[in-house]
PDB file of all heavy atoms in Angstrom:
ATOM      1  N   ARG A 102      -3.561  38.944 -71.875  1.00 96.00           N
ATOM      2  CA  ARG A 102      -4.032  39.347 -73.197  1.00 96.00           C
ATOM      3  C   ARG A 102      -5.432  38.906 -73.364  1.00 96.00           C
ATOM      4  O   ARG A 102      -6.290  39.650 -73.914  1.00 96.00           O
ATOM      5  CB  ARG A 102      -3.196  38.505 -74.204  1.00 96.00           C
ATOM      6  CG  ARG A 102      -1.810  39.184 -74.485  1.00 96.00           C
ATOM      7  CD  ARG A 102      -1.280  38.525 -75.735  1.00 96.00           C
ATOM      8  NE  ARG A 102       0.028  39.179 -76.115  1.00 96.00           N
ATOM      9  CZ  ARG A 102       0.409  39.231 -77.375  1.00 96.00           C
ATOM     10  NH1 ARG A 102      -0.225  38.694 -78.323  1.00 96.00           N
ATOM     11  NH2 ARG A 102       1.528  39.930 -77.586  1.00 96.00           N
ATOM     12  N   SER A 103      -5.875  37.753 -72.850  1.00 96.00           N
ATOM     13  CA  SER A 103      -7.154  37.264 -72.992  1.00 96.00           C
ATOM     14  C   SER A 103      -8.258  38.254 -72.276  1.00 96.00           C
ATOM     15  O   SER A 103      -9.264  38.266 -72.821  1.00 96.00           O
ATOM     16  CB  SER A 103      -7.348  35.862 -72.419  1.00 96.00           C
ATOM     17  OG  SER A 103      -7.033  35.829 -71.061  1.00 96.00           O
ATOM     18  N   TYR A 104      -7.787  38.909 -71.272  1.00 97.00           N
ATOM     19  CA  TYR A 104      -8.732  39.776 -70.591  1.00 97.00           C
ATOM     20  C   TYR A 104      -9.003  40.992 -71.476  1.00 97.00           C
ATOM     21  O   TYR A 104     -10.192  41.539 -71.560  1.00 97.00           O
ATOM     22  CB  TYR A 104      -8.237  40.175 -69.292  1.00 97.00           C
ATOM     23  CG  TYR A 104      -9.370  40.797 -68.459  1.00 97.00           C
ATOM     24  CD1 TYR A 104     -10.309  40.142 -67.685  1.00 97.00           C
ATOM     25  CD2 TYR A 104      -9.381  42.302 -68.422  1.00 97.00           C
ATOM     26  CE1 TYR A 104     -11.331  40.731 -67.021  1.00 97.00           C
ATOM     27  CE2 TYR A 104     -10.490  42.930 -67.779  1.00 97.00           C
ATOM     28  CZ  TYR A 104     -11.398  42.171 -67.026  1.00 97.00           C
ATOM     29  OH  TYR A 104     -12.430  42.769 -66.386  1.00 97.00           O
ATOM     30  N   VAL A 105      -7.937  41.507 -71.959  1.00 97.00           N
ATOM     31  CA  VAL A 105      -8.022  42.632 -72.944  1.00 97.00           C
ATOM     32  C   VAL A 105      -8.970  42.402 -74.046  1.00 97.00           C
ATOM     33  O   VAL A 105      -9.795  43.221 -74.378  1.00 97.00           O
ATOM     34  CB  VAL A 105      -6.692  43.110 -73.440  1.00 97.00           C
ATOM     35  CG1 VAL A 105      -6.664  44.204 -74.548  1.00 97.00           C
ATOM     36  CG2 VAL A 105      -5.756  43.509 -72.359  1.00 97.00           C
ATOM     37  N   THR A 106      -8.800  41.250 -74.531  1.00 96.00           N
ATOM     38  CA  THR A 106      -9.692  40.777 -75.742  1.00 96.00           C
ATOM     39  C   THR A 106     -11.164  40.599 -75.341  1.00 96.00           C
ATOM     40  O   THR A 106     -12.055  41.201 -75.984  1.00 96.00           O
ATOM     41  CB  THR A 106      -9.106  39.469 -76.383  1.00 96.00           C
ATOM     42  OG1 THR A 106      -7.745  39.619 -76.868  1.00 96.00           O
ATOM     43  CG2 THR A 106     -10.027  39.019 -77.528  1.00 96.00           C
ATOM     44  N   THR A 107     -11.241  39.902 -74.178  1.00 95.00           N
ATOM     45  CA  THR A 107     -12.674  39.605 -73.682  1.00 95.00           C
ATOM     46  C   THR A 107     -13.355  40.812 -73.320  1.00 95.00           C
ATOM     47  O   THR A 107     -14.505  41.074 -73.559  1.00 95.00           O
ATOM     48  CB  THR A 107     -12.644  38.590 -72.605  1.00 95.00           C
ATOM     49  OG1 THR A 107     -11.963  37.496 -72.918  1.00 95.00           O
ATOM     50  CG2 THR A 107     -14.023  38.333 -71.942  1.00 95.00           C
ATOM     51  N   PHE A 108     -12.639  41.784 -72.592  1.00 97.00           N
ATOM     52  CA  PHE A 108     -13.362  43.009 -72.223  1.00 97.00           C
ATOM     53  C   PHE A 108     -13.631  43.855 -73.349  1.00 97.00           C
ATOM     54  O   PHE A 108     -14.756  44.425 -73.435  1.00 97.00           O
ATOM     55  CB  PHE A 108     -12.341  43.693 -71.210  1.00 97.00           C
ATOM     56  CG  PHE A 108     -12.828  44.966 -70.683  1.00 97.00           C
ATOM     57  CD1 PHE A 108     -13.561  44.943 -69.474  1.00 97.00           C
ATOM     58  CD2 PHE A 108     -12.929  46.291 -71.353  1.00 97.00           C
ATOM     59  CE1 PHE A 108     -14.138  46.145 -68.782  1.00 97.00           C
ATOM     60  CE2 PHE A 108     -13.357  47.344 -70.732  1.00 97.00           C
ATOM     61  CZ  PHE A 108     -14.069  47.310 -69.542  1.00 97.00           C
ATOM     62  N   THR A 109     -12.681  44.034 -74.212  1.00 95.00           N
ATOM     63  CA  THR A 109     -13.008  44.871 -75.458  1.00 95.00           C
ATOM     64  C   THR A 109     -14.140  44.383 -76.300  1.00 95.00           C
ATOM     65  O   THR A 109     -15.050  45.095 -76.766  1.00 95.00           O
ATOM     66  CB  THR A 109     -11.733  45.031 -76.313  1.00 95.00           C
ATOM     67  OG1 THR A 109     -10.613  45.465 -75.424  1.00 95.00           O
ATOM     68  CG2 THR A 109     -11.940  45.892 -77.451  1.00 95.00           C
ATOM     69  N   ASP A 110     -14.224  43.012 -76.421  1.00 93.00           N
ATOM     70  CA  ASP A 110     -15.323  42.423 -77.303  1.00 93.00           C
ATOM     71  C   ASP A 110     -16.618  42.588 -76.577  1.00 93.00           C
ATOM     72  O   ASP A 110     -17.538  42.928 -77.161  1.00 93.00           O
ATOM     73  CB  ASP A 110     -14.919  40.929 -77.373  1.00 93.00           C
ATOM     74  CG  ASP A 110     -15.903  40.206 -78.390  1.00 93.00           C
ATOM     75  OD1 ASP A 110     -15.656  40.603 -79.614  1.00 93.00           O
ATOM     76  OD2 ASP A 110     -16.618  39.342 -78.028  1.00 93.00           O
ATOM     77  N   ARG A 111     -16.612  42.406 -75.170  1.00 93.00           N
ATOM     78  CA  ARG A 111     -17.891  42.621 -74.367  1.00 93.00           C
ATOM     79  C   ARG A 111     -18.283  44.023 -74.659  1.00 93.00           C
ATOM     80  O   ARG A 111     -19.544  44.369 -74.763  1.00 93.00           O
ATOM     81  CB  ARG A 111     -17.502  42.350 -72.978  1.00 93.00           C
ATOM     82  CG  ARG A 111     -18.730  42.566 -71.964  1.00 93.00           C
ATOM     83  CD  ARG A 111     -18.188  42.372 -70.623  1.00 93.00           C
ATOM     84  NE  ARG A 111     -19.320  42.760 -69.684  1.00 93.00           N
ATOM     85  CZ  ARG A 111     -19.057  42.943 -68.349  1.00 93.00           C
ATOM     86  NH1 ARG A 111     -17.786  42.648 -67.826  1.00 93.00           N
ATOM     87  NH2 ARG A 111     -19.959  43.223 -67.533  1.00 93.00           N
ATOM     88  N   LEU A 112     -17.330  45.017 -74.520  1.00 93.00           N
ATOM     89  CA  LEU A 112     -17.683  46.485 -74.635  1.00 93.00           C
ATOM     90  C   LEU A 112     -18.283  46.651 -75.992  1.00 93.00           C
ATOM     91  O   LEU A 112     -19.206  47.468 -76.221  1.00 93.00           O
ATOM     92  CB  LEU A 112     -16.509  47.259 -74.437  1.00 93.00           C
ATOM     93  CG  LEU A 112     -16.614  48.759 -74.449  1.00 93.00           C
ATOM     94  CD1 LEU A 112     -17.375  49.308 -73.216  1.00 93.00           C
ATOM     95  CD2 LEU A 112     -15.314  49.498 -74.668  1.00 93.00           C
ATOM     96  N   LYS A 113     -17.627  46.174 -77.052  1.00 89.00           N
ATOM     97  CA  LYS A 113     -18.040  46.403 -78.471  1.00 89.00           C
ATOM     98  C   LYS A 113     -19.485  45.891 -78.688  1.00 89.00           C
ATOM     99  O   LYS A 113     -20.222  46.443 -79.470  1.00 89.00           O
ATOM    100  CB  LYS A 113     -17.069  45.639 -79.387  1.00 89.00           C
ATOM    101  CG  LYS A 113     -17.259  46.128 -80.813  1.00 89.00           C
ATOM    102  CD  LYS A 113     -16.177  45.452 -81.716  1.00 89.00           C
ATOM    103  CE  LYS A 113     -16.305  45.962 -83.166  1.00 89.00           C
ATOM    104  NZ  LYS A 113     -15.177  45.344 -84.059  1.00 89.00           N
ATOM    105  N   GLN A 114     -19.840  44.849 -77.973  1.00 89.00           N
ATOM    106  CA  GLN A 114     -21.220  44.244 -78.131  1.00 89.00           C
ATOM    107  C   GLN A 114     -22.295  44.958 -77.289  1.00 89.00           C
ATOM    108  O   GLN A 114     -23.457  44.745 -77.450  1.00 89.00           O
ATOM    109  CB  GLN A 114     -21.160  42.752 -77.728  1.00 89.00           C
ATOM    110  CG  GLN A 114     -20.191  41.904 -78.533  1.00 89.00           C
ATOM    111  CD  GLN A 114     -20.457  41.944 -79.984  1.00 89.00           C
ATOM    112  OE1 GLN A 114     -21.499  41.939 -80.468  1.00 89.00           O
ATOM    113  NE2 GLN A 114     -19.302  41.989 -80.720  1.00 89.00           N
ATOM    114  N   MET A 115     -21.926  45.943 -76.555  1.00 91.00           N
ATOM    115  CA  MET A 115     -22.877  46.585 -75.571  1.00 91.00           C
ATOM    116  C   MET A 115     -23.800  47.582 -76.421  1.00 91.00           C
ATOM    117  O   MET A 115     -24.893  47.897 -75.851  1.00 91.00           O
ATOM    118  CB  MET A 115     -22.117  47.318 -74.532  1.00 91.00           C
ATOM    119  CG  MET A 115     -21.501  46.401 -73.342  1.00 91.00           C
ATOM    120  SD  MET A 115     -20.834  47.349 -72.074  1.00 91.00           S
ATOM    121  CE  MET A 115     -20.190  45.986 -70.991  1.00 91.00           C
TER     122      MET A 115
END
Side-chain angles (χ1 to χ4, degrees):
R102 281 191 174 209
S103 60
Y104 192 85
V105 176
T106 301
T107 302
F108 184 92
T109 306
D110 193 66
R111 176 186 174 192
L112 181 77
K113 194 174 181 180
Q114 302 304 321
M115 285 181 181

